[in-house]
Amino acid sequence: MIVLGIETSCDETSMAIYDSNTNSILSSKISSQVELHKRFGGVVPEIASRNHLIKLEEIFNEVVNDAKIDIEDIDLIGVTNAPGLIGSLFVGVSFAKGLSYSLKKPLIGVNHLAAHTLSTELEHLELSPPYISLIISGGHTHVYYVDKAYNFNLLSYTIDDAVGECFDKVAKKLGLPYPGGPEIEKMAKNGDENRLVFPIALKNDKLFSFSGIKTAVINTIDENKYTAADICASFQKSILKNLTHKFDIILKEYKVNKLVVTGGVSANGYLRDKLTKYYQKKGINVYFPSKRLSTDNGDMIAYTAYKFFSKKIFMGLRETAYDVRPNID
Ligand code: KG4
Ligand code: ZN
């Protein structure tokens, strides 16, 4: 099957074409809106939707040409329909519905968090569920137990800020550009990670909370006593400690030897390295997507659409805008 994946849930307009016969991506294009949102210090939903609309047709033509296929060769269309910014989701889903109608090809709504998780399978051919999935992005901090049939059972989530949001807000306070995660990672390289200790919230609970760390870091910045490099390094270490602390609680309940870590924050080299080493000692393999597939992309949508199609999960064309859901459930 030739599968088109469409992703417009936040500020990346992306499409990719996946070929199930060769289990490979034939073409892929990611157009980031980061420069448009930079001066606002975060994503502006209205600007995001308008720019998806402007970009979609151009990107569609590019991926079809790059894959050296005809439009009619597409057998299946997958599109992110939840969760995400409602306007942005609408644009992608409307485009996908129009295409599905005109080509008379099936359409599947793909859950963005499921797709992040499955992106690892595209690059680690040996990987299959059951495994535990941790999604750490600008909007989400979610842990799922994924069973053999690809049922996603929610084990934990954040009760306030997402990890990426916390990185972005700390970076903003330090005067670093948006998105803050990569900037903090760079700055932390020259800092002492043991200079400061930030808290682990809800210590006996598997639920995450990051607003306390965020406030503690912001108060520390206001004290003007420490270098930005030391603050960034100590902050990054405290995020790591929070993740492993909660995971250790979860792993007491769920015995698995595979952990999948995805989402924008999983691009962080320090977290990758430390998580891999920490869990290796416990006999658990940690899988990450390549850095390119860590942030939002159409590749993961196309691949997940194929997987879901194999399970016969369809989204009807006559359903209304109700198909688009900003929340995870
Ligand atoms: O998955 P993603 O592209 O979009 C969402 O679905 O949110 O994630 C974006 C988030 C931003 O908060 C960004 O600061 C963070 O991922 N991020 C990082 C790094 N690269 C991106 N956080 C920490 N370290 C990084 N290297
Ligand atoms: Zn994402």
Side-chain angles (χ1 to χ4, degrees), residues 1 8 29 69-70 82 188 191 298:
M1 282 193 112
T8 63
K29 178 92 189 154
I69 58 164
D70 289 325

mmCIF file of all heavy atoms in Angstrom, residues 1 8 29 69-70 82 188 191 298:
data_model
loop_
_atom_site.group_PDB
_atom_site.id
_atom_site.type_symbol
_atom_site.label_atom_id
_atom_site.label_comp_id
_atom_site.label_asym_id
_atom_site.label_seq_id
_atom_site.Cartn_x
_atom_site.Cartn_y
_atom_site.Cartn_z
ATOM 1 N N MET A 1 0.831 -1.220 0.000
ATOM 2 C CA MET A 1 0.000 0.000 0.000
ATOM 3 C C MET A 1 0.856 1.255 0.000
ATOM 4 O O MET A 1 1.903 1.306 0.650
ATOM 5 C CB MET A 1 -0.834 0.040 1.286
ATOM 6 C CG MET A 1 -2.010 -0.826 1.283
ATOM 7 S SD MET A 1 -3.035 -0.345 2.686
ATOM 8 C CE MET A 1 -4.408 0.324 1.834
ATOM 9 N N THR A 8 -0.935 18.353 10.895
ATOM 10 C CA THR A 8 -1.053 19.812 11.065
ATOM 11 C C THR A 8 -1.545 20.144 12.476
ATOM 12 O O THR A 8 -2.246 21.136 12.666
ATOM 13 C CB THR A 8 -2.078 20.424 10.063
ATOM 14 O OG1 THR A 8 -3.365 19.882 10.349
ATOM 15 C CG2 THR A 8 -1.715 20.210 8.630
ATOM 16 N N LYS A 29 8.152 15.752 3.870
ATOM 17 C CA LYS A 29 8.431 17.188 3.899
ATOM 18 C C LYS A 29 7.889 17.742 5.221
ATOM 19 O O LYS A 29 6.752 17.471 5.593
ATOM 20 C CB LYS A 29 7.716 17.823 2.698
ATOM 21 C CG LYS A 29 7.852 19.297 2.597
ATOM 22 C CD LYS A 29 9.043 19.691 1.746
ATOM 23 C CE LYS A 29 9.280 21.186 1.860
ATOM 24 N NZ LYS A 29 10.610 21.641 1.620
ATOM 25 N N ILE A 69 5.400 9.086 -7.671
ATOM 26 C CA ILE A 69 4.137 8.358 -7.844
ATOM 27 C C ILE A 69 3.116 9.298 -8.476
ATOM 28 O O ILE A 69 3.345 10.513 -8.543
ATOM 29 C CB ILE A 69 3.567 7.847 -6.493
ATOM 30 C CG1 ILE A 69 3.334 9.026 -5.519
ATOM 31 C CG2 ILE A 69 4.471 6.805 -5.870
ATOM 32 C CD1 ILE A 69 2.451 8.686 -4.344
ATOM 33 N N ASP A 70 2.002 8.738 -8.938
ATOM 34 C CA ASP A 70 0.876 9.563 -9.377
ATOM 35 C C ASP A 70 -0.074 9.679 -8.193
ATOM 36 O O ASP A 70 -0.122 8.783 -7.346
ATOM 37 C CB ASP A 70 0.140 8.897 -10.547
ATOM 38 C CG ASP A 70 0.986 8.941 -11.802
ATOM 39 O OD1 ASP A 70 1.706 9.943 -11.985
ATOM 40 O OD2 ASP A 70 0.948 7.942 -12.557
ATOM 41 N N ALA A 82 -6.499 14.300 16.370
ATOM 42 C CA ALA A 82 -6.508 14.604 17.801
ATOM 43 C C ALA A 82 -5.206 14.111 18.408
ATOM 44 O O ALA A 82 -4.625 13.160 17.892
ATOM 45 C CB ALA A 82 -7.679 13.886 18.496
ATOM 46 N N ALA A 188 23.207 24.348 28.738
ATOM 47 C CA ALA A 188 23.517 23.438 29.853
ATOM 48 C C ALA A 188 24.884 22.777 29.695
ATOM 49 O O ALA A 188 25.501 22.361 30.677
ATOM 50 C CB ALA A 188 22.430 22.376 29.967
ATOM 51 N N GLY A 191 27.436 24.226 31.882
ATOM 52 C CA GLY A 191 27.050 24.472 33.271
ATOM 53 C C GLY A 191 27.323 23.286 34.186
ATOM 54 O O GLY A 191 27.635 22.181 33.733
ATOM 55 N N GLY A 298 5.017 14.007 9.200
ATOM 56 C CA GLY A 298 3.988 13.233 8.493
ATOM 57 C C GLY A 298 4.339 11.762 8.405
ATOM 58 O O GLY A 298 3.448 10.910 8.226
#
